[in-house]
Amino acid sequence: NAGVMQNPRHLVRRRGQEARLRCSPMKGHSHVYWYRQLPEEGLKFMVYLQKENIIDESGMPKERFSAEFPKEGPSILRIQQVVRGDSAAYFCASSSDSRAGELFFGEGSRLTVL
Amino acid sequence: GENVEQHPSTLSVQEGDSAVIKCTYSDSASNYFPWYKQELGKRPQLIIDIRSNVGEKKDQRIAVTLNKTAKHFSLHITETQPEDSAVYFCAASEGNTPLVFGKGTRLSVIA
């Protein structure tokens, strides 16, 4: 059973470009969460999604950031017009219906903005 | 919303000694308390968790205790080994809400 898959693992963008990060949850999991981790810091919640629905986006900046989890395909975190402060590791996690809240993390996508 | 405080931020122990990391939380509705281990450049991995209907849980060298009245929970690692060196995060949630994490404890086990 494959774990949570994230790609790309590393992404370099110049200021003003767009970044798209993808996450495929574990098989059988329908809950997806995105967290951001700055160097030497903890994990900050960004957004919680189920298929085709955003459940909680209270941790996501109102501008430039968006997330989706379509009926088919992976969840996508999109960052428009990136700035240097967006440089971080972005982790996706998933959980099942029966054990919602018990999160399994992917290996993360490390975004560097030049 | 929930707020989780974790301490110490760094901890050094001699190999074979015990390590204790403590967390407090603010939301009395929280009922799920996992601990994650993150090695450098790797993903956070769930190592143990506890739910509010129990006070203590043990898995080999690691154990977690929960005091719901005081709203704090702790991770205990006995007989530490160099491979236990990592950053450890506590977290809390109501079970069906996103986990709120502490800021982490960097544990160094000195051989």
Side-chain angles (χ1 to χ4, degrees), chain B residues 11-30:
Chain B
L11 179 61
S12 291
V13 299
Q14 292 290 330
E15 182 178 0
D17 287 351
S18 295
V20 180
I21 303 170
K22 298 182 179 182
C23 289
T24 60
Y25 61 98
S26 61
D27 188 350
S28 57
S30 289

Side-chain angles (χ1 to χ4, degrees), chain B:
Chain B
E2 177 64 275
N3 182 52
V4 177
E5 300 284 341
Q6 181 173 350
H7 58 94
S9 56
T10 60
L11 179 61
S12 291
V13 299
Q14 292 290 330
E15 182 178 0
D17 287 351
S18 295
V20 180
I21 303 170
K22 298 182 179 182
C23 289
T24 60
Y25 61 98
S26 61
D27 188 350
S28 57
S30 289
N31 57 13
Y32 177 61
F33 308 92
W35 287 86
Y36 286 81
K37 175 184 181 182
Q38 186 178 31
E39 297 177 355
L40 188 62
K42 302 286 189 179
R43 65 187 172 94
Q45 288 190 284
L46 178 67
I47 56 172
I48 194 168
D49 57 11
I50 192 167
R51 298 184 186 272
S52 60
N53 55 342
V54 297
E56 183 173 357
K57 184 176 178 181
K58 191 173 181 180
D59 183 4
Q60 299 183 351
R61 295 187 297 108
I62 60 173
V64 57
T65 58
L66 171 65
N67 183 328
K68 283 224 76 179
T69 303
K71 289 193 279 197
H72 66 71
F73 56 112
S74 301
L75 177 72
H76 304 251
I77 307 174
T78 58
E79 300 173 21
T80 53
Q81 301 168 3
E83 51 265 39
D84 294 329
S85 296
V87 179
Y88 292 81
F89 292 98
C90 63
S93 80
E94 292 182 38
N96 59 354
T97 58
L99 287 174
V100 176
F101 284 84
K103 291 190 175 181
T105 297
R106 182 175 300 279
L107 174 65
S108 299
V109 179
I110 304 164

Side-chain angles (χ1 to χ4, degrees), chain A residues 4 9 33 35 37 40-45 47-48 56 91 99-108 110, chain B residues 32 34 36 38 40-46 49 51 89 93 95-104 106:
Chain A
V4 178
R9 293 290 312 279
Y33 308 78
Y35 284 81
Q37 187 175 39
E40 303 297 316
E41 292 194 13
L43 295 146
K44 297 290 189 185
F45 166 72
V47 61
Y48 164 33
D56 182 347
F91 286 95
R99 298 181 73 85
E102 184 174 323
L103 305 189
F104 293 88
F105 282 86
E107 292 289 352
R110 281 153 184 82
Chain B
Y32 177 61
Y36 286 81
Q38 186 178 31
L40 188 62
K42 302 286 189 179
R43 65 187 172 94
Q45 288 190 284
L46 178 67
D49 57 11
R51 298 184 186 272
F89 292 98
S93 80
N96 59 354
T97 58
L99 287 174
V100 176
F101 284 84
K103 291 190 175 181
R106 182 175 300 279

Side-chain angles (χ1 to χ4, degrees), chain A residues 36-69:
Chain A
R36 178 162 67 175
Q37 187 175 39
L38 294 170
E40 303 297 316
E41 292 194 13
L43 295 146
K44 297 290 189 185
F45 166 72
M46 298 182 73
V47 61
Y48 164 33
L49 311 100
Q50 291 184 28
K51 282 288 187 181
E52 300 185 277
N53 289 304
I54 295 175
I55 307 302
D56 182 347
E57 56 182 348
S58 58
M60 198 154 69
K62 294 288 186 286
E63 297 180 354
R64 303 189 299 109
F65 286 74
S66 62
E68 63 177 8
F69 189 15

Side-chain angles (χ1 to χ4, degrees), chain A residues 2-47:
Chain A
V4 178
M5 303 299 292
Q6 288 190 248
N7 69 83
R9 293 290 312 279
H10 300 275
L11 182 63
V12 179
R13 286 288 179 265
R14 296 192 180 278
R15 282 178 294 171
Q17 292 184 319
E18 178 180 288
R20 283 195 182 213
L21 311 177
R22 289 175 290 278
C23 170
S24 295
M26 284 180 69
K27 187 176 181 180
H29 285 190
S30 60
H31 303 251
V32 167
Y33 308 78
W34 286 93
Y35 284 81
R36 178 162 67 175
Q37 187 175 39
L38 294 170
E40 303 297 316
E41 292 194 13
L43 295 146
K44 297 290 189 185
F45 166 72
M46 298 182 73
V47 61

